[in-house]
């Protein structure tokens, strides 16, 4: 009745009311016509199914919350179609055909067979008054896939990009319903829905999926002129099937698995695939029609905008959980090694793709990225690359800052604004970054993780690795190895967290799309929906490791050689004496074969310590040994990092080690001090604070400022035993661990209690 009304003047007279009131006629999922039937026709027999464990495996119910079922309700797809039409009006015929062929296949195929116009928006398929509205709103439905014929072209250039074949029949009952089983019962479907079940082995093959999931699109130049000349020269918008075909998962490959193996997993045990006839035998190996993908963001948007998008299905929460579980099986990330090299933390990660295609795959708005976080023992952040902001952007990523740029592929990361982003970047005919599909002529970057067995050196150009990843020897055959090399100053003891996260819609891509919001209603609608979405990313896999602090510093003392030293770790209270720290390594009699001295500024004299005297961080000492040609000394294993204080006067948010400085009633007071750190440090980050005066403010003073105020010298001196002389240390010159040094307070330091602040980084 409804289809008859659509062809009458009565319905036409209501069109203006429908448009003005912005209401929608509910789509009829139970429509039937010459070519197709809606999914509602299939419900009576193919829902209400359970497996041997009692799990609901209802076909239409499972399908109804998939992106296949909601392919035309998808507001991003609607917005993108509208934007492409707005930006490329000269290609409207191509856009309306190409974009509806796989997203609204029943509407597209029926219109072509009926000789009707192909139009998506306006008065087209998504308009309730359009003849093919029901066809369009039912998405990629049952009688599309189950009528696709094995015409010999599946999996070839002539069988992809929506070039599937659905034959036309004079007698409706001759329409096939191809399926996975041999010798299907036919009479029930012939009598009730006028389809004839047939065995179609091709329905279980990846070649079936290739019809829409290998997709090439034409492109235009800056003048809007068509620049692609042949199907081969068109832009490879998505090549999921070809990625699979060049992987170990291909037919005959070492990991052979079809698309359906993951996205339509088989049910264990024998099950009935229809509630009628009642005596129907149970079948093994039934494939669930869940069609799980990777788009939790859109599933969330669909569920939260049910009225606006005419969503009728329920159960999105469970589909999101199931999709998330599938995503979390897609990859692993492992810490291969972590070590300290001087003041640098080196961490090597390995990322492995466990899917049968690139990760991410499909439409080039998608990306995966590494969130790499290093924290110290107090939980403070030492380094963070790949931080997700509340708006969905990633801190430091080029295209999220400026959509006309992009983040390159990295083999080594050394700064927080460098982020490993696995994804495609399109370029136009001028070689510039573009987010407009029909301006995309090639990829400027494609470092999506390849599947196992995918050799980037031998694959076709349509699935090539592009950009820096193409020459990265650690990126191939399903894995990528990346090194993080981080200057951590004198911090030690770390927790390392690394996550591989995923976004269906990258921030920079969306910002480019949202430029059309003011002039394209579909874009404005989607922007509102996305801004209110609950899901911005998904975590695919994570790993954690620790690099605990171990004070394994050693110092070599040569015979009869004076060394000006310091203690680079906080010594345990029970083992901080001269004998406990050094006596276990140096042989001989203390005071005769070896000795340690400190300097007393008040008496301007050296004092020999006793074996029981404590050694302290921040102080300098002289040591000499006569017992052996060479002695290696170390520190007690219980030694820890120095105790730090934090304040606005410290130039490091992580803290400073404070050293009290003697300042006597003289022009200059010499102090023998020492570095408290296990790594190199430089005096240009030292600061001086005082109890009063100019260096008592919230910023304290740099050594240059302190020298100008006659408070503290801006140079220090360290004795180098190799040359038997003092060396000047100033500016950014490195001071090594174990290094003691001479520093001098100046005349104005008397009475203001100077304290030297040594930042940890």
């Amino acid at each position: 009745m409804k289809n008859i009304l659509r062809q009458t003047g009565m319905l036409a007279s209501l069109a203006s009311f429908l448009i003005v009131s912005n209401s929608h006629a509910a789509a009829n999922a139970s429509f039937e016509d010459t070519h197709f039937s809606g999914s509602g026709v299939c419900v009576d027999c193919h829902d209400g199914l359970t497996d041997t464990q009692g799990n609901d495996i209802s076909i239409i119910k499972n399908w109804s919350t998939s992106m296949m079922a909601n392919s035309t309700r998808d507001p991003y797809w609607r917005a993108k179609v509208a934007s492409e039409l707005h930006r490329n009006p000269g290609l409207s015929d191509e856009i309306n055909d190409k974009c509806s062929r796989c997203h609204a296949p029943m509407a597209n195929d029926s219109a072509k067979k009926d000789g009707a116009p192909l139009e998506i928006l306006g008065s087209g398929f998504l308009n309730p008054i359009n003849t093919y509205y029901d066809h369009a709103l039912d998405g990629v439905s049952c009688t599309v896939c189950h009528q696709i014929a094995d015409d010999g072209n599946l999996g070839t250039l002539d069988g992809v990009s929506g070039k599937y074949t659905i034959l036309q029949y004079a007698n409706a009952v001759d329409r096939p319903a191809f399926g996975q089983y041999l010798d299907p019962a036919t009479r029930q479907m012939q009598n009730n829905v006028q389809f004839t079940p047939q065995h179609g082995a091709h329905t279980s093959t990846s070649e079936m999926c290739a019809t829409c999931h290998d997709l090439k699109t034409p492109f235009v130049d800056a003048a809007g002129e068509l620049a692609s000349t042949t199907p081969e020269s068109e832009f490879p918008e998505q090549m999921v099937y070809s990625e699979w075909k060049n992987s170990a998962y291909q037919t005959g490959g070492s990991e052979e698995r079809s698309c359906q193996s993951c996205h339509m997993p088989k049910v264990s045990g024998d099950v009935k695939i229809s509630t009628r006839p009642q005596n129907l035998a149970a079948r093994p190996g039934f494939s669930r029609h869940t069609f799980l993908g990777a788009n939790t963001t859109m599933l969330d948007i669909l569920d939260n905008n049910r009225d606006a998008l005419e969503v009728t299905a329920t159960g999105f929460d469970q589909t999101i959980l199931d999709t998330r579980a599938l995503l979390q099986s897609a990859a692993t990330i492992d810490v291969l090694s972590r070590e300290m090299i001087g003041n640098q933390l080196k961490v090597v990660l390995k990322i492995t793709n466990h899917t049968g295609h690139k990760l991410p795959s499909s439409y080039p708005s998608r990306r995966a990225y590494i969130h790499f976080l290093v924290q110290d023992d107090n939980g403070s952040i030492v380094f963070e690359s790949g931080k997700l902001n509340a708006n969905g952007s990633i801190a430091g990523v080029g295209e999220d800052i400026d959509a006309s740029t992009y983040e390159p592929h990295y083999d080594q990361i050394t700064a927080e604004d460098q982020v490993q982003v696995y994804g495609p970047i399109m370029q136009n005919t001028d070689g510039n970054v573009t987010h407009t599909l029909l301006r995309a002529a090639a990829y400027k970057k494609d470092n999506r993780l390849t599947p196992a067995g995918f050799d980037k050196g031998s694959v076709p150009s349509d699935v090539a690795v592009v950009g820096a990843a193409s020459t990265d020897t650690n990126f191939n055959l399903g894995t990528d190895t990346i090194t993080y090399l981080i200057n951590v100053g004198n911090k030690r003891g770390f927790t390392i967290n690394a996550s591989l996260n995923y976004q269906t819609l990258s921030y920079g891509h969306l910002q480019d799309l949202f430029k059309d919001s003011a002039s394209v209603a579909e874009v404005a609608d989607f922007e509102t929906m996305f801004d209110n979405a609950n899901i911005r990313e998904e975590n695919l896999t994570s790993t954690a490791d620790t690099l605990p602090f171990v004070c394994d510093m050693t110092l070599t003392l040569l015979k009869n050689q004076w060394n000006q030293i310091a203690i680079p770790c906080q010594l345990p209270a029970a083992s901080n004496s001269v004998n406990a720290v050094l006596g276990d390594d140096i042989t001989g009699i203390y005071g005769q074969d070896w000795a340690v001295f400190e300097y007393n500024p008040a008496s301007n004299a050296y004092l020999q310590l006793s074996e029981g005297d404590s050694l302290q961080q921040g102080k300098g000492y002289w040591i000499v040994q006569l017992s052996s040609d060479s002695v290696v000394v170390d520190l007690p294993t219980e030694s820890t990092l120095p105790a730090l204080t934090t304040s606005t006067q410290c130039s490091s948010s992580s803290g400073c080690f404070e050293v009290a400085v003697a300042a006597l009633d003289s022009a200059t007071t010499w102090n023998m001090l020492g570095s408290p750190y296990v790594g190199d440090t430089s005096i240009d980050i030292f600061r001086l604070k005082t109890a009063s005066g100019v260096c008592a403010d919230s910023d304290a003073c740099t050594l240059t400022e302190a020298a100008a105020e006659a408070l503290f010298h801006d140079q220090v001196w360290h004795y180098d035993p190799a040359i038997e002389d003092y060396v000047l240390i100033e500016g950014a010159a490195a001071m090594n661990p174990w290094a003691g040094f001479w520093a001098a307070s100046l005349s104005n330091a008397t009475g203001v209690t100077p304290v030297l602040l040594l930042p940890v980084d």
Side-chain angles (χ1 to χ4, degrees):
M1 185 67 177
K2 188 174 182 182
N3 288 329
I4 296 173
L5 285 174
R6 285 195 176 127
Q7 299 172 25
T8 68
M10 182 183 297
L11 187 57
S13 68
L14 293 174
S16 60
F17 169 78
L18 289 169
I19 294 171
V20 171
S21 67
N22 197 33
S23 63
H24 297 284
N28 177 18
S30 297
F31 77 89
E32 298 180 78
D33 73 1
T34 304
H35 311 297
F36 299 98
S37 294
S39 59
V41 174
C42 308
V43 168
D44 287 346
C45 293
H46 293 292
D47 270 7
L49 307 179
T50 57
D51 64 13
T52 54
Q53 286 79 44
N55 299 309
D56 191 343
I57 57 170
S58 298
I59 294 176
I60 294 78
K61 183 179 179 181
N62 284 176
W63 162 86
S64 67
T65 53
S66 71
M67 292 307 302
M68 301 279 276
N70 294 281
S71 56
T72 52
R73 293 182 174 92
D74 178 347
Y76 169 73
W77 174 76
R78 294 181 177 187
K80 193 61 178 153
V81 168
S83 174
E84 293 290 332
L85 288 167
H86 176 70
R87 297 181 184 187
N88 300 287
L91 285 180
S92 60
D93 289 345
E94 181 70 23
I95 294 169
N96 280 301
D97 183 12
K98 184 80 76 172
C99 296
S100 66
R101 185 64 179 167
C102 288
H103 276 262
M106 291 190 295
N108 177 286
D109 196 69
S110 294
K112 285 181 176 178
K113 286 182 168 71
D114 297 344
L118 297 178
E119 185 179 6
I120 297 171
L121 305 175
S123 60
F125 299 148
L126 299 185
N127 192 316
I129 66 171
N130 189 278
T131 302
Y132 305 105
Y133 174 69
D134 293 337
H135 302 61
L137 265 287
D138 213 33
V140 183
S141 192
C142 316
T143 59
V144 175
C145 295
H146 287 281
Q147 282 198 85
I148 292 177
D150 186 1
D151 59 359
N153 292 325
L154 294 177
T156 71
L157 187 63
D158 291 328
V160 299
S161 297
K163 297 174 188 173
Y164 51 82
T165 297
I166 296 177
L167 299 175
Q168 190 167 358
Y169 299 88
N171 188 350
V173 78
D174 292 331
R175 295 174 301 180
F178 293 115
Q180 68 184 102
Y181 294 113
L182 295 167
D183 302 322
T186 60
R187 184 168 299 179
Q188 190 80 28
M189 286 188 66
Q190 288 174 331
N191 291 341
N192 288 281
V193 295
Q194 287 74 57
F195 281 91
T196 298
Q198 298 180 32
H199 175 237
H202 63 288
T203 61
S204 297
T205 68
S206 296
E207 284 69 24
M208 176 80 166
C209 307
T211 54
C212 283
H213 291 288
D214 256 17
L215 178 63
K216 303 191 74 170
T217 51
F219 54 89
V220 297
D221 60 20
E225 298 295 326
L226 190 65
S228 54
T229 56
T230 63
E232 290 86 352
S233 69
E234 290 182 338
F235 173 68
E237 183 249 54
Q238 62 178 281
M239 303 298 289
V240 187
Y241 167 75
S242 290
E243 293 162 9
W244 168 87
K245 192 175 180 181
N246 286 278
S247 78
Y249 298 93
Q250 65 174 300
T251 303
S254 60
E255 303 287 336
E256 181 175 343
R257 207 173 307 167
S258 69
C259 305
Q260 293 88 337
S261 298
C262 295
H263 299 283
M264 298 181 68
K266 292 186 182 297
V267 175
S268 61
D270 294 356
V271 297
K272 288 188 176 184
I273 64 171
S274 176
T275 58
R276 285 187 264 173
Q278 292 184 354
N279 63 349
L280 189 69
R283 300 266 199 171
F286 171 69
S287 295
R288 294 193 65 186
H289 286 54
T290 48
F291 297 102
L292 296 176
N295 203 343
T296 56
T297 297
M298 201 55 59
L299 295 173
D300 172 67
I301 289 174
L302 287 164
D303 198 28
N304 292 327
N305 297 274
R306 304 179 67 82
D307 292 339
L309 299 173
E310 302 166 75
V311 174
T312 57
T314 59
F316 283 94
D317 287 346
Q318 185 59 50
T319 301
I320 288 172
L321 292 176
D322 293 342
T323 301
R324 186 166 291 149
L326 179 67
L327 284 169
Q328 290 173 351
S329 69
T332 51
I333 186 168
D334 298 292
V335 177
L336 294 186
S337 65
R338 75 282 187 279
E339 61 180 325
M340 288 298 305
I341 303 175
N343 279 13
Q344 290 186 313
L345 171 64
K346 180 181 179 181
V347 181
V348 180
L349 301 179
K350 181 179 181 181
I351 302 90
T352 304
N353 175 13
H354 297 298
T355 73
H357 43 69
K358 289 184 179 180
L359 181 65
S361 191
S362 194
Y363 193 75
S365 65
R366 303 180 173 197
R367 66 183 178 186
Y369 66 96
I370 296 176
H371 179 211
F372 183 78
L373 177 67
V374 179
Q375 294 170 286
D376 63 21
D377 287 341
N378 297 318
S380 299
I381 294 175
V382 175
F383 182 91
E384 185 171 20
S385 164
K387 177 184 177 182
L388 182 72
N389 297 317
N391 63 2
S393 66
I394 303 169
V397 169
E399 58 263 34
D400 289 6
I401 299 169
D402 179 354
S404 67
T405 64
Y406 68 98
E407 191 74 1
H409 173 83
Y410 296 99
D411 185 42
Q412 178 174 285
I413 283 179
T414 59
E416 289 185 321
D417 62 356
Q418 298 173 337
V419 184
Q420 187 73 311
V421 179
Y422 298 109
I425 296 293
M426 302 183 291
Q427 66 176 355
N428 59 28
T429 51
D430 301 318
N432 299 321
V433 171
T434 185
H435 297 275
T436 304
L437 179 59
L438 295 190
R439 282 285 281 126
Y443 285 109
K444 199 173 189 73
K445 167 194 171 185
D446 187 352
N447 70 333
R448 290 176 285 189
L449 290 159
T450 60
F454 184 105
D455 185 353
K456 67 182 181 182
S458 60
V459 297
S461 59
D462 279 346
V463 292
V465 174
V466 181
S470 65
T471 56
D472 179 356
T473 57
N474 296 316
F475 182 96
N476 201 19
L477 299 171
T479 67
D480 180 37
T481 301
I482 181 169
T483 299
Y484 289 80
L485 195 60
I486 307 160
N487 191 335
V488 295
N490 281 292
K491 296 177 183 175
R492 296 296 185 272
F494 303 112
T495 298
I496 301 159
N497 287 279
S499 299
L500 182 67
N501 299 328
Y502 163 77
Q503 291 181 312
T504 307
L505 298 167
S506 65
Y507 182 83
H509 176 80
L510 287 178
Q511 298 318 295
D512 179 83
L513 175 64
F514 293 157
K515 291 177 183 177
D516 293 343
S517 288
S519 52
V520 180
E522 290 83 359
V523 175
D525 290 344
F526 174 63
E527 183 174 14
T528 299
M529 293 177 187
F530 183 80
D531 285 345
N532 291 294
N534 299 310
I535 300 175
R536 289 282 189 272
E537 69 165 357
E538 289 289 346
N539 170 249
L540 302 184
T541 181
S542 299
T543 190
D545 204 346
T546 59
L547 186 60
F549 172 70
V550 177
C551 188
D552 54 1
M553 307 299 297
T554 61
L555 176 67
T556 300
L557 303 174
L558 299 182
K559 187 175 184 178
N560 202 27
Q561 185 180 76
W562 287 90
N563 289 266
Q564 189 181 29
I565 70 166
I567 303 300
C569 297
Q570 178 71 48
L571 300 172
S575 305
N576 64 5
S577 68
V578 171
N579 188 60
V581 175
L582 303 169
D584 61 331
D585 298 314
I586 305 175
T587 60
I589 301 171
Y590 183 75
Q592 177 177 319
D593 298 306
W594 65 284
V596 178
F597 300 84
E598 66 178 1
Y599 174 73
N600 186 333
S603 62
N604 190 28
Y606 294 112
L607 301 175
Q608 179 178 315
L609 300 181
S610 70
E611 289 183 274
D613 286 339
S614 298
L615 296 175
Q616 301 174 26
Q617 279 185 299
K619 293 188 66 174
Y621 301 96
W622 286 106
I623 184 171
V624 64
Q625 65 89 15
L626 309 175
S627 60
S628 303
D629 290 339
S630 176
V631 173
V632 176
V633 298
D634 57 18
L635 298 175
T637 56
E638 301 85 358
S639 300
T640 62
L641 289 168
L644 305 178
T645 59
T646 56
S647 68
T648 58
Q649 295 174 311
C650 175
S651 60
S652 169
S653 60
S654 300
C656 285
F657 186 85
E658 297 192 0
V659 182
V661 176
L664 306 178
D665 294 330
S666 61
T668 300
T669 303
W670 288 99
N671 291 257
M672 191 160 66
L673 307 176
S675 171
Y677 297 125
V678 296
D680 295 344
T681 189
S682 56
I683 71 166
D684 61 350
I685 63 172
F686 288 6
R687 303 186 93 80
L688 187 81
K689 73 173 182 177
T690 55
S692 60
V694 294
C695 296
D697 63 15
S698 60
D699 294 330
C701 292
T702 65
L703 293 195
T704 301
E705 293 167 340
E709 296 293 332
L711 291 168
F712 200 83
H713 211 297
D714 59 356
Q715 297 171 325
V716 302
W717 290 262
H718 169 69
Y719 181 78
D720 184 349
I723 61 174
E724 298 184 347
D725 201 356
Y726 286 101
V727 293
L728 174 66
I729 301 176
E730 59 183 341
M735 186 180 298
N736 299 323
W738 290 98
F741 59 88
W742 288 108
S745 60
L746 304 178
S747 57
N748 289 342
T750 304
V752 296
T753 318
V755 175
L756 194 61
L757 304 178
L758 283 61
V760 70
D761 57 13

